[in-house]
Amino acid sequence: EAQVTQNPRYLITVTGKKLTVTCSQNMNHEYMSWYRQDPGLGLRQIYYSMNVEVTDKGDVPEGYKVSRKEKRNFPLILESPSPNQTSLYFCASSLGGEGNQPQHFGDGTRLSIL
Amino acid sequence: QQPVQSPQAVILREGEDAVINCSSSKALYSVHWYRQKHGEAPVFLMILLNGGEQKGHEKISASFNEKKQQSSLYLTASQLSYSGTYFCGTGRNYGGSQGNLIFGKGTKLSVKP
């Protein structure tokens, strides 16, 4: 089944404790992206990747890191999480970076930073 | 610049129609539409490319007016299953790169029996 898989689905942690949210897709998609969703603000892009080893900042990259060593994986790293990073996070992928490709979203990861 | 969606929320009775608008201050190559049900991931509905394209998906259709830099989503004879939050997404840079796909804040649609 074609899908985007995120782990964990839920996480409660404390300020400053490094964490990684994994994202994997099995559709051989070139483009992958991370979004955070907060009430009233919609989906805001954190980072995106057009292909392996090619990443770039979105609208709200501060406090996050990403890497794209393999085509299928695009982990999101919070080196020193803070409470303002408490949010619902979505990973998405699409066939290419052109505007004519639909994005497929993972089920989301709800992070709570205390 | 985030596209502006209107209205922010709408309540319908089953069978009624609705229109959701998405406007951008920048020239657009494409507009994406997604629906998100509470607690779930956004689900792709359709993409429209510049050229005044209009697409349909069951009783949901959309238009794209590149001159006005806006798109509209039309929901006809709404069903309970249409309830959710609708997002439009636009490419930030004219020319096709989706790398800077930016979403509006969403329109919450509630369909009542």
Side-chain angles (χ1 to χ4, degrees):
Chain A
E1 181 189 349
Q3 58 187 7
V4 178
T5 304
Q6 294 179 227
N7 279 297
R9 292 290 314 280
Y10 305 90
L11 179 64
I12 301 173
T13 188
V14 295
T15 299
K17 186 176 181 182
K18 180 180 178 179
L19 67 92
T20 299
V21 184
T22 63
C23 175
S24 180
Q25 49 92 6
N26 62 359
M27 295 169 279
N28 201 36
H29 284 171
E30 289 188 350
Y31 177 89
M32 297 185 75
S33 181
W34 276 103
Y35 297 90
R36 61 177 289 174
Q37 186 173 30
D38 303 289
L41 297 180
L43 292 155
R44 293 182 293 166
Q45 191 177 52
I46 303 171
Y47 270 95
Y48 65 93
S49 170
M50 299 289 275
N51 212 325
V52 176
E53 302 292 1
V54 180
T55 63
D56 207 346
K57 296 177 181 179
D59 291 306
V60 288
E62 295 79 19
Y64 305 94
K65 285 176 60 177
V66 293
S67 68
R68 187 93 182 271
K69 295 186 172 64
E70 305 167 282
K71 198 171 188 179
R72 62 184 293 128
N73 297 322
F74 190 44
L76 179 70
I77 303 157
L78 285 72
E79 294 267 359
S80 183
S82 62
N84 64 11
Q85 293 177 298
T86 292
S87 187
L88 179 58
Y89 291 85
F90 287 102
C91 178
S93 73
S94 65
L95 194 59
E98 298 81 20
N100 60 352
Q101 300 295 330
Q103 296 210 37
H104 301 260
F105 285 84
D107 288 334
T109 295
R110 189 168 290 280
L111 284 183
S112 294
I113 316 291
L114 304 177
Chain B
Q1 184 114 14
Q2 201 170 21
V4 177
Q5 288 186 233
S6 62
Q8 290 184 328
V10 59
I11 300 174
L12 300 173
R13 293 283 181 193
E14 260 188 304
E16 292 181 337
D17 302 340
V19 179
I20 299 172
N21 299 305
C22 175
S23 298
S24 173
S25 59
K26 305 239 178 202
L28 299 174
Y29 169 71
S30 65
V31 178
H32 297 223
W33 285 98
Y34 295 79
R35 176 171 63 205
Q36 183 181 31
K37 293 191 178 284
H38 184 69
E40 298 181 7
V43 173
F44 169 74
L45 292 176
M46 63 189 78
I47 288 177
L48 300 100
L49 304 179
N50 63 10
E53 181 169 335
Q54 185 153 355
K55 295 188 73 172
H57 181 270
E58 296 178 344
K59 293 181 181 175
I60 301 175
S61 61
S63 63
F64 179 20
N65 188 321
E66 64 193 276
K67 285 186 180 177
K68 293 184 179 179
Q69 296 170 184
Q70 69 181 36
S71 176
S72 295
L73 187 71
Y74 306 95
L75 300 102
T76 57
S78 58
Q79 306 168 11
L80 295 175
S81 62
Y82 287 2
S83 292
T85 300
Y86 290 78
F87 292 97
C88 70
T90 59
R92 197 196 306 262
N93 298 320
Y94 192 88
S97 171
Q98 194 180 215
N100 287 312
L101 185 66
I102 182 167
F103 287 92
K105 293 182 179 180
T107 295
K108 186 174 182 180
L109 181 78
S110 301
V111 181
K112 308 290 185 187

